[in-house]
Amino acid sequence: MGAEAGARQPRVPGRFWARNAGGAGACSQPGRAAERRRALSAGSVGRLGNGRKLGRSSGGRMLSPERLSLPGPEYLAQRHVLTYMEDAVSQLLENREDISQYGIARFFTEYFNSVRQGTHILFREFSFVQATPHNRASFLRTFWRCFRTVGKNGDLLTAQEYHCLLQLLCPDFPMELTQKAARIVLMDDAMDCLMSFSDFLFAFQIQFYYSEFLESVAAIYQDLLAGKNPNTVIVPTSSSGQHRQRQPPNDCSPLDGVEASLFYQCLESLCDRSKYSCPPSALVKEMLSSAQRLTFYGFLMALAKDQGINRALGALPDKGDLFLDPAMDQELEKLVARVSGISISGPTSSSGDAASLPVRNSPRINSPWKPLHHRRKMDAESEGSNEETDSSEN
């Protein structure tokens, strides 16, 4: 009976049958799923049942070793996958009328391609732009690519003018972050002073990407200036539970700063327990090794100028390559060629007929789905204006 029952099983794809029928005997390819699970849980590099090697994606790219070593929930949390899934579903529901024309699968494909390319943060609200480290790095890279010609031309701008550029990419970007970045460069409250693009960009990178870390560093610095050591030890006694400082209080002027070695010990402890992004402690230690004392803004300026920390963050190129972007230069040259071609051919036409103009194929730019809602509003307004024009003509 068992053999006959097995023979009557419908011939369906093994993946579907394993998912829907259930049971070890129902799977048309027994052992493949179990083999895959054992290999993934062990984190080893072997061969799966379909002949593909573990450790490579279907496109041939090597997978990160931590993807195979970390448990699934921990890896998803580390990469903020749920954040992007929630945002994708939210946009899907908000723009379901537009998305229904070409399908949900295509929407998710284009959404996560946009996340991978870093264009998903364009014109989004600040709460989303700062939501994940990848979003912050993508915003920094986009700001650099869009406005690097400011530095290439040697223009100097004020903090307010740089803030206007930031708001072109993120309309509700807070002025406070721009001012904090400017103070790293200017070392004072003179917000109307001019700054070069490179100085502001690297200072802004540190302030924006490590904003939570810098807030904790500022509190540590103030404690050290006041003669308190943030690393305290609770010494239990029979009479009271007073805190005993590891180091005696230091009487020093704010202009002199704090002791660099003690400051680094506090930073190292902060990086070990912080859940936010922190610069690599080894690079910070190397940066502070030659200093005896330092001020808070001196520390921030050192972070902004350190190319090792810039490379570890991975959003911007080295300072020497800051104005080099061959891919963007090619796109700009193509755009200029199209515009110049239209301007040259326009006056030579004998009539004003639009059909005589050359056809211009605008490059398709990957953009986030958020602006779809605004485009829909604009379309409705334009349709209304056309109706008014038609009625006035009649």
Side-chain angles (χ1 to χ4, degrees), residues 241-287:
Q242 297 292 330
H243 290 186
R244 176 178 297 178
Q245 303 291 339
R246 290 182 181 176
Q247 297 289 340
N250 293 325
D251 296 328
C252 59
S253 169
L255 298 177
D256 296 332
V258 298
E259 185 181 345
S261 59
L262 180 59
F263 185 61
Y264 171 72
Q265 292 176 11
C266 299
L267 296 187
E268 187 177 30
S269 176
L270 172 64
C271 293
D272 290 340
R273 67 177 186 270
S274 177
K275 62 180 181 179
Y276 300 108
S277 298
C278 301
S281 56
L283 295 177
V284 175
K285 182 178 182 180
E286 181 181 357
M287 184 182 69

Side-chain angles (χ1 to χ4, degrees), residues 12-298:
V12 294
R15 183 178 300 175
F16 174 88
W17 189 248
R19 183 173 63 248
N20 294 278
C27 183
S28 63
Q29 295 177 347
R32 174 183 292 188
E35 180 183 353
R36 186 189 297 267
R37 286 194 298 269
R38 286 195 301 269
L40 288 176
S41 62
S44 59
V45 178
R47 285 191 178 272
L48 301 177
N50 58 6
R52 289 191 294 119
K53 287 185 177 181
L54 273 174
R56 285 189 182 272
S57 64
S58 58
R61 297 187 300 272
M62 289 296 297
L63 298 179
S64 172
E66 64 179 342
R67 184 178 298 185
L68 302 177
S69 60
L70 289 176
E74 184 177 343
Y75 180 82
L76 294 177
Q78 184 186 80
R79 298 295 178 177
H80 303 275
V81 175
L82 294 182
T83 300
Y84 296 115
M85 286 299 301
E86 291 174 358
D87 181 66
V89 172
S90 176
Q91 293 195 42
L92 175 64
L93 296 176
E94 182 178 347
N95 304 289
R96 54 183 176 273
E97 295 179 3
D98 301 302
I99 294 170
S100 61
Q101 299 176 5
Y102 47 84
I104 295 176
R106 179 179 172 186
F107 164 77
F108 278 106
T109 299
E110 294 192 5
Y111 176 87
F112 282 101
N113 278 337
S114 178
V115 172
R116 180 178 59 85
Q117 295 166 3
T119 58
H120 63 298
I121 45 80
L122 281 169
F123 318 121
R124 293 296 303 270
E125 62 278 8
F126 179 73
S127 59
F128 179 76
V129 169
Q130 68 160 357
T132 70
H134 175 68
N135 286 10
R136 298 186 186 195
S138 299
F139 186 81
L140 288 167
R141 191 178 300 110
T142 302
F143 180 76
W144 159 65
R145 296 193 71 187
C146 288
F147 303 115
R148 66 189 177 90
T149 52
V150 173
K152 200 172 184 179
N153 297 333
D155 297 328
L156 303 177
L157 303 180
T158 64
Q160 181 63 46
E161 290 170 330
Y162 281 117
H163 183 67
C164 292
L165 297 182
L166 291 168
Q167 286 186 313
L168 292 177
L169 303 179
C170 176
D172 64 336
F173 197 91
M175 182 64 184
E176 181 184 2
L177 272 179
T178 309
Q179 291 175 337
K180 288 181 177 179
R183 288 193 181 100
I184 297 177
V185 179
L186 302 174
M187 296 288 191
D188 54 30
D189 295 330
M191 291 293 102
D192 56 343
C193 291
L194 299 176
M195 293 172 285
S196 68
F197 180 75
S198 59
D199 287 345
F200 175 79
L201 180 62
F202 285 112
F204 174 71
Q205 173 179 237
I206 294 299
Q207 181 61 58
F208 177 59
Y209 193 86
Y210 296 124
S211 57
E212 294 85 2
F213 168 76
L214 295 186
E215 289 179 5
S216 300
V217 171
I220 290 174
Y221 182 82
Q222 291 300 322
D223 285 345
L224 292 177
L225 275 183
K228 297 184 295 184
N229 187 345
N231 296 328
T232 59
V233 177
I234 299 177
V235 181
T237 61
S238 58
S239 58
S240 64
Q242 297 292 330
H243 290 186
R244 176 178 297 178
Q245 303 291 339
R246 290 182 181 176
Q247 297 289 340
N250 293 325
D251 296 328
C252 59
S253 169
L255 298 177
D256 296 332
V258 298
E259 185 181 345
S261 59
L262 180 59
F263 185 61
Y264 171 72
Q265 292 176 11
C266 299
L267 296 187
E268 187 177 30
S269 176
L270 172 64
C271 293
D272 290 340
R273 67 177 186 270
S274 177
K275 62 180 181 179
Y276 300 108
S277 298
C278 301
S281 56
L283 295 177
V284 175
K285 182 178 182 180
E286 181 181 357
M287 184 182 69
L288 299 180
S289 60
S290 58
Q292 296 294 326
R293 306 186 70 84
L294 79 164
T295 63
F296 178 67
Y297 282 105

